[in-house]
């Protein structure tokens, strides 16, 4: 699995003989899992063709500020927002000068001015140009403002001279990119997670609930965060502390949980339904406390919506993972449940056979997807969550980049 999976690298290429090395850099970045958007200056086009970079990056190369097709008035702002890193390689003396002085006279310099992402420059120029006091001053100014300078290296130059000014090799630039961006395999991936039980009110003081403790869902939230994901947790009532760096939304009923999920589902890449959602709710909620003045009390229940199936049925659904608790034929029943709900993956556990489950700290899971299965033996929920997160990560990327090595 690539260390840069899901990361967005905007690769700026400026005019210089080292521009030919940008092709190899694009290939390496892509192989590490990054999405690469090339923006080149006009001068760069004299050294390497946009067609080569387009074929390698799999995205149309952006060159002109006033490109009628792409530059829909604010296209440069979109590019600036899209980037997790703006890497300019090679960065010419002219480009450094323009950047140092806040110029926005082509697409690449404008994107650099607009972006909130880190900017790294890989300078490449003749040694005299690099050592010129003007360039030295520009480099100092850029560094003061937080721009990263990767290189240049020393050595033989295209002009026949020897000294500082060589662009770092693509492998070295890849390593620095990884060091800067790769925090975990799910860095940049947004996870929406439901956890805990729901409570379906009968009257102002009573409800129908279930024994879910939320422990598995909360352990998953921690495991996803540790893998670098951004986690939003839609939680039913539980007695658990909010995991660090997790955005928690508290809900009570199944309908509230559905509402919260629908509010956030379009902003997620992965949806994991770990909550024990009540399948039914009282058709009517008594306005005041029901008194025990009757021998018999009948409650009429109404079906709750299936939140998970609803998410899976959306036009452009995220990668969906559900849970199933079965008392027999776990694999067959769970695989059937997966197909019926139209979800990508299901984690099933056998309940009622000393296998752990709802309230305990341990559990065992059989994870199923189209054409695959993995068994996770009885273990602490914390460990199980880590193993499950690793499987989900692998299948998520396998679905997203079917042609790329997972
Ligand atoms: N789920 C949901 N919304 C519901 C019910 C369930 O999102 N209204 C999700 C759960 O979070 C879980 C999965 O669907 O991921 C469980 O499916 P379900 O059909 O309820 O299976 P079981 O709990 O195993 O129960 P049963 O077999 O009795 O249907």
């Amino acid at each position: 699995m690539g260390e840069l999976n899901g990361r967005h690298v905007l690769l700026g290429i400026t005019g210089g003989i080292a521009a030919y090395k940008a092709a190899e850099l694009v290939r390496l970045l892509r192989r590490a899992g990054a999405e690469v958007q090339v923006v080149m200056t006009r001068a760069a086009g004299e050294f390497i063709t946009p067609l080569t970079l387009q074929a390698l990056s799999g995205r149309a190369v952006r060159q002109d500020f006033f490109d009628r097709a792409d530059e829909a008035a604010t296209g440069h702002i979109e590019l600036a927002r899209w980037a997790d890193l703006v890497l300019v390689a090679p960065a010419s003396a002219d480009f450094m000068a323009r950047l140092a002085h806040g110029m926005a006279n082509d697409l690449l310099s404008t994107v650099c001015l607009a972006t909130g992402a880190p900017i790294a420059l890989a300078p490449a120029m003749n040694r005299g140009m690099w050592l010129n006091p003007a360039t030295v001053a520009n480099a100092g100014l850029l560094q003061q403002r937080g721009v990263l300078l990767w290189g240049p290296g020393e050595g033989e130059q295209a002009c026949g001279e020897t000294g500082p000014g060589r662009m770092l090799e693509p492998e070295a630039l890849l390593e620095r990119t990884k060091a800067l961006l790769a925090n975990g395999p799910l860095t940049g991936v947004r996870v929406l997670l439901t956890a805990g039980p729901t409570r379906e009110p009968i009257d102002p003081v009573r409800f129908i609930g279930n024994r879910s403790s939320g422990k598995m869902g909360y352990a998953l939230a921690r495991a996803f965060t540790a893998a670098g994901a951004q986690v939003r947790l839609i939680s039913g009532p539980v007695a658990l502390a909010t995991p660090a760096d997790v955005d928690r939304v508290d809900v009570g009923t199944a309908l509230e949980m559905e509402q919260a999920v629908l509010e956030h589902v379009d902003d997620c890449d992965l949806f994991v339904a770990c909550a024990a959602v009540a399948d039914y709710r009282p058709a009517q909620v008594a306005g005041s406390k029901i008194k025990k003045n009757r021998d018999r009390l009948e409650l009429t229940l109404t079906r709750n919506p299936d939140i998970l199936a609803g998410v899976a049925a959306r036009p452009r659904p995220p990668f969906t993972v559900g849970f199933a608790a079965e008392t027999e034929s776990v694999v067959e029943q769970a695989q059937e449940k997966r197909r019926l709900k139209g979800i990508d993956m299901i984690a099933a556990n056998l309940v009622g056979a000393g296998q752990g489950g709802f309230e305990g700290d341990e559990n065992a899971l059989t994870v199923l997807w189209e054409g695959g299965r993995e068994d996770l033996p009885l273990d602490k929920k914390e460990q199980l969550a880590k193993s499950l997160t690793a499987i989900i990560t692998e299948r998520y990327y396998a679905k997203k980049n079917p042609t790329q090595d997972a």
Side-chain angles (χ1 to χ4, degrees):
M1 198 189 312
E3 281 175 71
L4 293 176
N5 271 327
R7 306 318 309 269
H8 294 173
V9 177
L10 190 145
L11 179 64
I13 306 176
T14 69
I17 187 67
Y20 79 92
K21 291 188 182 174
E24 175 66 0
L25 181 55
V26 172
R27 207 179 61 79
L28 293 175
L29 287 167
R30 293 275 293 154
R31 208 165 60 183
E35 288 186 43
V36 181
Q37 171 66 60
V38 174
V39 175
M40 51 200 294
T41 62
R42 282 201 162 277
E46 302 293 329
F47 295 92
I48 185 164
T49 77
L51 203 60
T52 304
L53 297 160
Q54 181 162 318
L56 290 170
S57 67
R59 285 171 170 266
V61 167
R62 300 289 306 272
Q63 204 169 9
D64 285 327
F65 194 63
F66 300 106
D67 181 329
R68 283 196 195 90
D70 290 325
E71 183 61 27
T74 56
H76 57 285
I77 303 295
E78 272 163 33
L79 284 175
R81 287 192 188 131
W82 176 88
D84 294 317
L85 166 70
V86 176
L87 169 58
V88 184
S92 65
D94 172 69
F95 184 75
M96 288 177 64
R98 288 194 284 126
L99 196 59
H101 295 283
M103 308 273 282
N105 52 357
D106 65 4
L107 182 59
L108 184 57
S109 55
T110 307
V111 168
C112 285
L113 208 56
T115 194
I119 300 174
L121 306 181
M125 63 197 75
N126 159 272
R127 59 176 286 279
M129 291 169 80
W130 176 251
L131 295 172
N132 186 292
T135 309
V136 172
N138 288 336
L141 203 54
L142 288 167
Q143 277 182 307
Q144 267 174 34
R145 294 187 190 139
V147 172
L148 303 164
L149 288 189
W150 292 350
E154 292 211 21
E156 198 185 315
Q157 300 203 303
C159 51
E161 295 182 24
T162 304
R166 268 176 70 95
M167 187 174 94
L168 292 189
E169 292 302 323
E171 287 79 8
L173 294 174
L174 175 71
E175 287 316 310
R176 294 194 184 212
T177 302
K178 281 185 185 169
L180 191 72
L181 290 184
N183 303 318
L186 287 177
T187 302
V189 175
R190 299 159 306 170
V191 175
L192 185 64
L193 186 66
T194 66
T198 64
R199 286 181 180 173
E200 310 301 324
I202 298 169
D203 69 14
V205 296
R206 304 183 181 93
F207 58 81
I208 298 175
N210 61 65
R211 291 182 189 277
S212 167
S213 62
K215 282 178 187 164
M216 189 66 205
Y218 275 58
L220 268 174
R222 282 189 290 274
F224 277 120
T225 308
Q230 246 173 278
V231 180
R232 183 170 276 141
L233 179 62
I234 313 288
S235 177
V238 294
L240 299 170
T242 308
D245 299 323
V246 165
D247 181 6
R248 171 171 163 180
V249 179
D250 286 314
V251 295
T253 65
L255 290 179
E256 285 168 14
M257 186 171 274
E258 183 193 38
Q259 184 60 35
V261 165
L262 291 178
E263 235 168 75
H264 297 292
V265 71
D266 288 332
D267 300 327
C268 81
D269 307 296
L270 243 162
F271 176 68
V272 184
C274 199
V277 185
D279 291 322
Y280 294 92
R281 67 178 182 277
Q284 261 155 10
V285 182
S288 52
K289 193 179 165 206
I290 298 172
K291 297 286 181 192
K292 52 177 174 302
N293 53 6
R294 289 172 271 191
D295 286 341
R296 198 181 152 83
L297 177 67
E298 280 188 12
L299 280 179
T300 305
L301 303 178
T302 306
R303 267 294 282 275
N304 269 330
D306 188 319
I307 303 170
L308 176 58
V311 168
R314 290 176 74 79
R316 276 183 294 116
F319 188 90
T320 44
V321 184
F323 280 75
E326 308 292 351
T327 47
E328 56 204 332
S329 331
V330 184
V331 174
E332 294 73 22
Q333 304 250 19
Q335 199 64 288
E336 181 63 11
K337 197 169 281 179
R338 191 186 67 77
R339 284 197 200 101
L340 281 176
K341 292 193 194 238
I343 60 178
D344 294 297
M345 184 182 267
I346 197 155
N349 66 328
L350 184 64
V351 287
Q355 287 267 343
F358 264 18
E359 287 165 301
D361 289 323
E362 294 196 328
N363 205 357
L365 292 172
T366 298
V367 190
L368 302 160
W369 58 93
E370 190 62 52
R373 164 184 180 162
E374 199 157 326
D375 291 295
L376 300 175
L378 193 65
D379 207 336
K380 295 252 179 294
K381 285 183 178 172
E382 205 65 31
Q383 182 51 47
L384 209 57
K386 283 186 193 150
S387 310
L388 182 57
T389 296
I391 300 173
I392 294 173
T393 304
E394 200 180 305
R395 301 319 309 165
Y396 167 73
Y397 285 118
K399 185 178 181 192
K400 199 163 168 241
N401 312 316
T403 50
Q404 223 170 281
D405 291 342

